[in-house]
Amino acid sequence: MSIETTVVKSVVDAIKSLYGAEFSAEKIQLQKTRKEFEGDFTVVVFPLLALSKKRPEETAQEIGEYLKANQPVISAFNVVKGFLNLSISTSYWIELLGRIDKAERWGTVAADENSPLVMVEYSSPNTNKPLHLGHIRNNLLGYALSNIIAANGNRVVKTNIVNDRGIHICKSMLAWQKWGNGATPESIGKKGDHLIGDYYVAFDKHYKEELAGLMEKGMSKEEAEAASPLMAEARDMLVKWEAGDKEVRALWEQMNSWVYEGFDETYKRLGVDFDKIYYESDTYLVGKETVLGGLEKGLFYRREDGSVWADLTNEGLDEKLLLRSDGTSVYMTQDIGTAQLRFRDYPIDKMVYVVGNEQNYHFQVLSLLLDRLGFSWGKGLVHFSYGMVELPEGKMKSREGTVVDADDLMDEMIKTARETSEELGGKLNDIPAEEKAEINRIIGLGALKYFMLKVDARKNMLFNPKESIDFNGNTGPFIQYTYARTRSIERKAAEAGVNVDGAKAPASLSEKECSIIRMLNEFPAVIRQAGTDYSPSGIANYAYDLAKEYNQFYHDFTILREENEDVKAFRVLLTRNVGKVIKTAMNILGIEVPERM
């Protein structure tokens, strides 16, 4: 039973004993005591005045006296107007630290075969270009959210939908045919996703040149676009692809395989993975069949040009295109098909889509359409909507000149970590080169991930690489350094023969020691709240607050030089569990922590 539950139960008992009334535990208002007042927890007594028939101060005093006399964990209390501030006994905090120490993953709840199954979709790349900065935020949020959901006792399936078909894919295929000269990733020494991205850019370059030439001959922009031979070739290739043309399909499969190898390399480096990958080329036909079935049932309607639409005006929205006049599908159609396949493959209890906030309307419509089609899980889908991320102007422009490439950004972060470490006096100078490189990788990617995740996901954000890698302040490296400090103390304590597990409990604790244990005690609630709010930032900022609190303790108190052996052992035990919880929190976010820095 948690300390919060114990206190609430005792307050309920006090109300019954003092006022002869039953009062629901859910209605007890228990808060953390504000820093300017003495105490650990505060009971708001105003809702209890109807039972006590007394003034707030008198009611709080009576309940406080009852708790101090009847509940051993309450060591003292004070009353401030209608607020009862309770102090928890030192012996309780010491006993709690022992329980935290014995728990392998304190704060998390393990799932079993009967736990709810939640599917989380993230990444959703196109196979005509490499992953970019926007994908990084999406992947980090999706992976962290999956871990948070799992830490709350759910089974989780991490999934990805790859947009591997359509006119944009044919553009890069056609450009490679025309100007590639048979280039392969191996022949030119370039990742496959970057190679294909180059030809997507090449298509755009030649297309714009073609349009300019046609417009010089007197055509309007619209006329030039309609007359473009290059775009006509791309559309013809798409028609052949949809018809199953062997040559086009073989080229498509070859080029996509290059892209997937490149994606896998980037995903591995970023530290994210998937349990199941779906492909639009497999799901769009399922969606199309479902829409046509809905048309036959009168759920949708066909316009004169042959296109199929859903009328959502009764739901306060507009009309939504589902099939074009030529019978081809749109993204909404594909998402309907993908949803069906997923629920056919897995007995999912909840579906979470990690997609940017520019798609808010899309998922509002998808939910309504799935519900209209008779799928019970339609209205229950969750759109984890997040804001866009940008870099300061002029920073790390990608080789394409338009977006920030994910691989380039990771390279830059690791380089910045190495340079920052050297500027700080070369603390890693005595470490073997291979280990030093690994630590710089962990620090660089940790800085990137933490900076992305500490911000409320719903907000747009500006990512500043240099700021993110600062070893002070609310950054990944600061938290990583704190963890490395705890591990260093543990190693030195072991070398000195400090008996951490067999030591007696100290007679008293400082307020700072109690404060740290209180923070460790809050971790399970932080995880629960992050799961309820779908908020990785809650975990991130908790890790920072804990690291900051521990560092203040480290600077104000002796640990290994403490003369009292019991106090020394206790402080090493406290250090060990701070490190353990920091590591758990950071791992939930998908961030590694180095053993030394």
Side-chain angles (χ1 to χ4, degrees):
M1 186 185 298
S2 70
I3 183 61
E4 294 88 348
T5 302
T6 298
V7 171
V8 167
K9 185 176 183 301
S10 298
V11 173
V12 170
D13 292 341
I15 293 168
K16 185 173 183 180
S17 177
L18 293 169
Y19 311 121
E22 299 287 344
F23 197 79
S24 171
E26 288 75 25
K27 294 181 180 178
I28 299 293
Q29 295 182 25
L30 186 70
Q31 308 167 349
K32 283 173 58 180
T33 301
R34 287 163 55 180
K35 288 187 177 180
E36 60 265 35
F37 300 113
E38 185 180 345
D40 297 304
F41 297 103
T42 296
V43 179
V44 182
V45 301
F46 294 108
L48 310 178
L49 302 184
L51 303 176
S52 69
K53 306 288 194 295
K54 296 176 182 177
R55 292 182 301 108
E57 293 85 350
E58 191 177 352
T59 303
Q61 184 69 29
E62 288 180 346
I63 294 174
E65 289 173 355
Y66 177 92
L67 293 177
K68 191 169 184 304
N70 293 279
Q71 177 49 261
V73 301
I74 306 296
S75 61
F77 73 93
N78 66 85
V79 176
V80 180
K81 297 183 179 178
F83 300 93
L84 171 60
N85 300 321
L86 303 171
S87 295
I88 305 302
S89 67
T90 295
S91 61
Y92 177 81
W93 293 125
I94 292 172
E95 184 269 333
L96 175 62
L97 182 62
R99 281 194 280 125
I100 293 172
D101 187 61
K102 288 182 175 62
E104 188 174 340
R105 279 179 60 84
W106 170 253
T108 65
V109 178
D112 60 34
E113 60 183 13
N114 297 315
S115 299
L117 180 63
V118 182
M119 179 175 278
V120 183
E121 175 199 289
Y122 55 97
S123 199
S124 309
N126 295 322
T127 59
N128 61 325
K129 53 191 174 185
L131 302 177
H132 54 66
L133 178 62
H135 287 114
I136 284 184
R137 192 177 197 196
N138 179 292
N139 279 280
L140 296 180
L141 286 170
Y143 187 75
L145 189 62
S146 299
N147 291 340
I148 289 169
I149 293 169
N152 277 285
N154 299 284
R155 293 176 295 146
V156 175
V157 177
K158 294 171 288 185
T159 187
N160 185 359
I161 173 70
V162 178
N163 299 304
D164 64 340
R165 61 170 288 278
I167 190 68
H168 52 295
I169 308 299
C170 290
K171 288 176 182 178
S172 55
M173 290 165 60
L174 181 62
W176 184 86
Q177 270 189 337
K178 285 180 171 293
W179 306 296
N181 297 315
T184 68
E186 293 78 17
S187 70
I188 63 170
K190 179 177 280 192
K191 281 180 80 225
D193 51 338
H194 291 293
L195 174 67
I196 302 308
D198 288 346
Y199 288 103
Y200 184 65
V201 172
F203 178 94
D204 190 58
K205 175 188 171 187
H206 285 278
Y207 176 58
K208 285 177 179 175
E209 289 173 355
E210 191 176 76
L211 291 182
L214 292 171
M215 290 166 70
E216 281 180 9
K217 294 179 181 179
M219 288 187 183
S220 68
K221 185 180 179 184
E222 291 74 18
E223 288 171 336
E225 288 173 347
S228 164
L230 192 59
M231 187 61 77
E233 283 189 80
R235 291 197 190 98
D236 181 59
M237 181 175 277
L238 178 59
V239 171
K240 288 180 178 177
W241 182 92
E242 297 216 354
D245 181 277
K246 288 185 178 180
E247 286 187 17
V248 171
R249 285 290 180 123
L251 176 62
W252 171 73
E253 289 176 1
Q254 177 63 75
M255 292 178 70
N256 274 354
S257 71
W258 295 340
V259 174
Y260 297 147
E261 287 179 11
F263 282 173
D264 288 346
E265 191 177 321
T266 303
Y267 287 139
K268 183 177 180 181
R269 195 176 181 202
L270 194 58
V272 303
D273 57 20
F274 307 95
D275 300 306
K276 176 75 174 179
I277 297 179
Y278 290 88
Y279 299 91
E280 185 183 348
S281 55
D282 295 327
T283 66
Y284 83 104
L285 289 175
V286 177
K288 186 175 179 179
E289 291 168 5
T290 305
V291 168
L292 291 174
L295 179 67
E296 290 179 8
K297 295 176 183 176
L299 302 175
F300 311 126
Y301 74 95
R302 191 186 293 276
R303 289 187 178 176
E304 289 183 5
D305 65 356
S307 57
V308 177
W309 295 72
D311 185 354
L312 301 172
T313 52
N314 286 340
E315 284 87 355
L317 303 177
D318 57 10
E319 298 183 340
K320 182 65 181 177
L321 173 67
L322 299 179
L323 290 174
R324 298 187 186 95
S325 57
D326 61 2
T328 57
S329 61
V330 295
Y331 275 116
M332 186 64 69
T333 322
Q334 169 222 302
D335 278 347
I336 290 171
T338 306
Q340 274 189 270
L341 287 177
R342 285 170 174 164
F343 281 88
R344 192 181 301 167
D345 293 343
Y346 298 92
I348 303 170
D349 295 292
K350 183 171 287 187
M351 180 73 218
V352 180
Y353 293 87
V354 180
V355 182
N357 56 18
E358 76 278 8
Q359 295 292 327
N360 286 352
Y361 181 76
H362 176 90
F363 284 97
Q364 187 180 1
V365 172
L366 178 62
S367 177
L368 290 170
L369 292 178
L370 290 172
D371 184 63
R372 181 179 291 189
L373 286 163
F375 302 117
S376 58
W377 32 264
K379 283 190 174 178
L381 69 81
V382 175
H383 174 206
F384 180 81
S385 173
Y386 64 90
M388 296 298 99
V389 56
E390 297 175 353
L391 286 167
E393 191 175 356
K395 291 271 187 179
M396 293 185 296
K397 293 294 183 181
S398 78
R399 59 176 64 88
E400 294 177 33
T402 54
V403 295
V404 179
D405 179 85
D407 294 314
D408 289 348
L409 181 56
M410 286 190 280
D411 287 340
E412 185 72 18
M413 291 303 301
I414 295 168
K415 177 173 173 260
T416 304
R418 183 173 63 251
E419 291 171 350
T420 303
S421 179
E422 290 169 356
E423 287 170 10
L424 292 174
K427 291 184 177 181
L428 302 179
N429 284 348
D430 298 331
I431 295 176
E434 189 174 325
E435 185 182 353
K436 187 190 298 185
E438 176 66 1
I439 291 173
N440 285 326
R441 181 194 68 80
I442 291 173
I443 294 171
L445 296 184
L448 169 66
K449 294 178 181 184
Y450 184 82
F451 203 91
M452 291 276 186
L453 295 171
K454 73 175 183 178
V455 179
D456 182 345
R458 294 167 294 185
K459 297 178 180 177
N460 291 343
M461 67 169 293
L462 185 72
F463 175 65
N464 187 319
K466 193 71 177 176
E467 183 184 331
S468 74
I469 218 153
D470 192 339
F471 279 67
N472 296 299
N474 190 1
T475 65
F478 171 75
I479 300 169
Q480 289 172 320
Y481 187 77
T482 304
Y483 174 77
R485 170 172 279 167
T486 67
R487 295 294 292 129
S488 174
I489 291 170
E490 281 191 76
R491 287 192 295 270
K492 290 175 181 176
E495 290 168 5
V498 177
N499 185 8
V500 178
D501 297 313
K504 295 180 188 175
S508 63
L509 298 180
S510 68
E511 169 52 31
K512 184 61 73 174
E513 287 165 324
C514 288
S515 175
I516 291 173
I517 300 172
R518 279 197 295 270
M519 291 192 72
L520 297 177
N521 177 59
E522 291 166 13
F523 190 44
V526 169
I527 292 177
R528 285 196 304 273
Q529 196 63 50
T532 300
D533 299 340
Y534 298 101
S535 175
S537 64
I539 303 279
N541 288 293
Y542 167 84
Y544 167 65
D545 289 340
L546 178 59
K548 185 170 63 171
E549 189 77 0
Y550 177 78
N551 277 298
Q552 289 173 354
F553 165 74
Y554 175 84
H555 286 110
D556 294 345
F557 293 84
T558 58
I559 299 178
L560 296 177
R561 291 195 303 272
E562 169 60 45
E563 294 181 358
N564 184 306
E565 291 299 321
D566 291 338
V567 173
K568 181 194 294 185
F570 178 83
R571 289 176 180 172
V572 174
L573 179 68
L574 185 63
T575 296
R576 178 163 80 190
N577 284 281
V578 167
K580 180 173 75 173
V581 170
I582 285 176
K583 184 175 184 177
T584 300
M586 295 292 267
N587 286 349
I588 287 173
L589 298 175
I591 301 174
E592 297 171 87
V593 283
E595 292 295 300
R596 55 176 171 168
M597 281 173 69

